[in-house]
Amino acid sequence: MTVDLLLGLQWGDEGKGKIVDVLTSKYDIIARFQGGPNAGHTLEFDGIKHVLRTIPSGIFHANSVNIIGNGVVMDPVVFQKELEGLEKFNMDVKSKLLISRKAHLILPTHRLLDAASEASKGKAKIGSTLKGIGPTYMDKTGRNGIRIGDIELADFKERYRSLADKHEAMISFYDVDLQYDLKELEDEFFASIEVLKTLTFIDSEEYLNQAIKAGKSILCEGAQGSLLDIDFGTYPFVTSSNTTAAGACTGLGIAPNKVKEVFGIFKAYTTRVGSGPFPTELFDEDGQTMARVGNEFGSVTGRARRCGWLDLVALKYAVQVNGVTALYMMKGDVLSGFKTLKICTAYRYKGEKISHFPYNIEPENVEPIYQEMKGWQADLTGMTSYNELPQELKTYIEFIEKELEVPIKVVSVGPDRKQTILR
Ligand code: IMP
């Protein structure tokens, strides 16, 4: 029996999808525990790129069971498209995917509420992916939500109507010009509900705990990143779920004492999409180079990602909050060609040097303090063993390990499954 967690340590987009895919063959079950179609987990193999939104990244392996846990919010319309996209590759998704009855449904009006809320905020907007995530989790905690299991109830349509009517009234409170055709959105929604009904709904906490008793191994897959966590992220510029390790326990019904390893994924630099503070953000050519070489555009929204140097203060915080036991460093190849690299090792916070992540990291309070390191020029994308890596990169890796007091077990040097160096 093993339960391990895999999660992002920065502001999302660390490359979790690729690593889940690489690790999947070791696990019987892959379970997503939070978030929804705001996620875009990218996997590349055999020259094809797949972007998964709600479906766990273990779906490409023949023998793994994939579970959408109770902590996830699901949009049936997006799900239907995702399903059809995979079925084009002759994949039998339905027999390998189980959905928690306790996961919450994203209604079309949740998406509209998200859009109205963001538009009303003007410059203070969160930069949401507008997938209805915030409003759906609001209804969940407000005890008004509709769950997957409700689809099986006789009064599902009445429940839907009552909540959608309430949402329409709420939308009218916002002083924004939102154009929409609800009838059209609802037709699409109910058609996709019929597709969803062809999948298997389960009491996933029961299923998972029985699996643990039977000695099965489970990998819990997180979405977004630790700095977007509703409690520990850069609030209010966060998502609406617990993206950190605790979210796996509540989002799957797995007790903390069952969890063994916590794999923390991070990029060799930092990116952020959407609004919010980012102390090491670059506005110069170096930032543009990272964006270009790293192809830093959102897999869900296509928005350009903001880029900056690695922030060890933020990473140390994420390692601590999650109890990370092994680190996976992604996109090392993107840093090839820089003469000098910088790593933020402390902040000057209101004039004082600190090494912890404070309450507020707004630019007026925080200035990063950097350690400079020599860069490397070699192209890493064809390298397959740690020994081949340039000495400067090894020094970079060892410096990070020492600061974070956790070993870096994997160095990724390209998007393909094969471009993964194990240490
Ligand atoms: P929401 O979760 O769509 O409401 O977005 C809230 C914030 O989290 C915004 O800044 C988004 O850009 C960010 N965000 C949400 N999901 C992801 C993700 O999967 N990767 C990176 N950023 C994300």
Side-chain angles (χ1 to χ4, degrees):
M1 180 283 277
T2 320
V3 179
D4 296 332
L5 312 187
L6 181 141
L7 30 83
L9 299 180
Q10 295 160 316
W11 278 291
D13 310 315
E14 297 91 353
K16 296 173 288 293
K18 166 175 165 166
I19 295 299
V20 180
D21 177 57
V22 167
L23 290 176
T24 309
S25 53
K26 294 193 190 160
Y27 295 89
D28 300 307
I29 299 170
I30 312 296
R32 259 285 292 272
F33 59 84
Q34 46 69 234
N38 48 349
H41 290 176
T42 307
L43 295 84
E44 261 183 76
F45 51 88
D46 303 337
I48 301 171
K49 182 170 161 180
H50 301 270
V51 180
L52 295 173
R53 310 288 301 280
T54 325
I55 296 176
S57 308
I59 201 72
F60 296 101
H61 284 260
N63 302 321
S64 62
V65 172
N66 289 264
I67 295 185
I68 295 179
N70 57 279
V72 174
V73 290
M74 236 188 132
D75 185 330
V77 176
V78 178
F79 176 76
Q80 181 184 349
K81 291 190 183 121
E82 198 177 344
L83 190 66
E84 287 166 358
L86 292 174
E87 284 176 344
K88 263 194 232 145
F89 293 94
N90 292 324
M91 282 187 54
D92 173 20
V93 177
K94 288 183 185 168
S95 70
K96 288 193 286 179
L97 183 64
L98 305 170
I99 303 173
S100 170
R101 288 197 175 89
K102 293 194 174 83
H104 278 245
L105 269 181
I106 301 177
L107 312 189
T109 42
H110 282 130
R111 273 187 265 130
L112 295 173
L113 274 172
D114 216 355
S117 164
E118 281 286 80
S120 74
K121 285 191 165 128
K123 276 194 174 155
K125 71 175 184 185
I126 308 292
S128 163
T129 60
L130 303 179
K131 303 297 170 204
I133 305 297
T136 307
Y137 278 114
M138 272 169 70
D139 271 339
K140 174 178 176 174
T141 51
R143 296 156 296 177
N144 297 311
I146 298 185
R147 300 186 289 176
I148 293 290
D150 295 343
I151 297 173
E152 297 170 318
L153 303 178
D155 65 348
F156 172 64
K157 283 214 165 135
E158 288 83 72
R159 286 173 187 242
Y160 168 85
R161 188 74 274 140
S162 151
L163 189 56
D165 286 350
K166 191 173 145 203
H167 289 162
E168 276 226 282
M170 287 164 73
I171 291 164
S172 66
F173 276 112
Y174 287 102
D175 186 19
V176 294
D177 180 24
L178 196 64
Q179 304 290 328
Y180 60 91
D181 179 345
L182 189 54
K183 167 83 178 53
E184 199 178 297
L185 294 172
E186 287 182 341
D187 287 349
E188 183 185 47
F189 176 78
F190 282 105
S192 68
I193 288 286
E194 291 308 311
V195 174
L196 194 53
K197 277 183 181 167
T198 63
L199 279 108
T200 308
F201 303 159
I202 58 163
D203 296 338
S204 55
E205 62 284 13
E206 177 63 18
Y207 181 97
L208 287 165
N209 281 294
Q210 289 305 332
I212 291 170
K213 275 192 189 150
K216 304 266 187 213
S217 55
I218 302 172
L219 181 66
C220 310
E221 177 182 10
Q224 290 82 50
S226 302
L227 303 176
L228 289 171
D229 183 275
I230 184 73
D231 282 281
F232 299 107
T234 47
Y235 193 89
F237 302 101
V238 292
T239 190
S240 300
S241 61
N242 280 117
T243 58
T244 45
C249 297
T250 57
L252 293 170
I254 293 178
N257 61 353
K258 299 281 189 296
V259 176
K260 197 168 160 221
E261 300 282 341
V262 180
F263 305 131
I265 318 289
F266 71 102
K267 273 182 198 167
Y269 49 100
T270 312
T271 64
R272 174 163 207 172
V273 60
S275 327
F278 178 179
T280 61
E281 183 169 9
L282 288 167
F283 300 95
D284 59 7
E285 219 183 298
D286 285 342
Q288 285 162 16
T289 305
M290 284 175 196
R292 191 187 67 251
V293 181
N295 193 23
E296 295 295 355
F297 295 93
S299 49
V300 172
T301 57
R303 290 179 293 176
R305 296 182 187 138
R306 301 151 65 192
C307 296
W309 298 118
L310 188 67
D311 183 344
L312 282 183
V313 180
L315 257 188
K316 210 178 271 180
Y317 171 73
V319 164
Q320 177 173 286
V321 168
N322 290 303
V324 172
T325 58
L327 289 161
Y328 286 43
M329 190 175 98
M330 311 302 289
K331 290 194 151 183
D333 53 301
V334 175
L335 293 186
S336 290
F338 283 90
K339 203 160 163 265
T340 307
L341 300 169
K342 288 185 183 177
I343 299 189
C344 168
T345 53
Y347 292 156
R348 189 151 324 274
Y349 180 69
K350 298 183 179 173
E352 194 189 321
K353 184 176 170 185
I354 60 165
S355 54
H356 76 279
F357 198 74
Y359 171 70
N360 188 330
I361 59 157
E362 294 300 333
E364 59 273 24
N365 293 327
V366 166
E367 186 198 327
I369 298 174
Y370 289 111
Q371 159 98 30
E372 291 204 354
M373 309 205 57
K374 196 159 176 269
W376 57 90
Q377 307 308 313
D379 175 5
L380 314 180
T381 54
M383 297 188 182
T384 51
S385 76
Y386 190 73
N387 289 343
E388 280 178 79
L389 298 181
Q391 185 51 47
E392 294 84 357
L393 172 55
K394 289 183 185 157
T395 308
Y396 190 78
I397 290 170
E398 283 156 22
F399 181 80
I400 298 167
E401 280 181 327
K402 197 157 159 270
E403 288 284 311
L404 300 179
E405 299 176 86
V406 180
I408 297 180
K409 296 241 170 111
V410 169
V411 181
S412 173
V413 292
D416 197 278
R417 249 182 208 170
K418 293 192 198 110
Q419 293 169 303
T420 311
I421 296 177
L422 307 178
R423 279 177 88 203

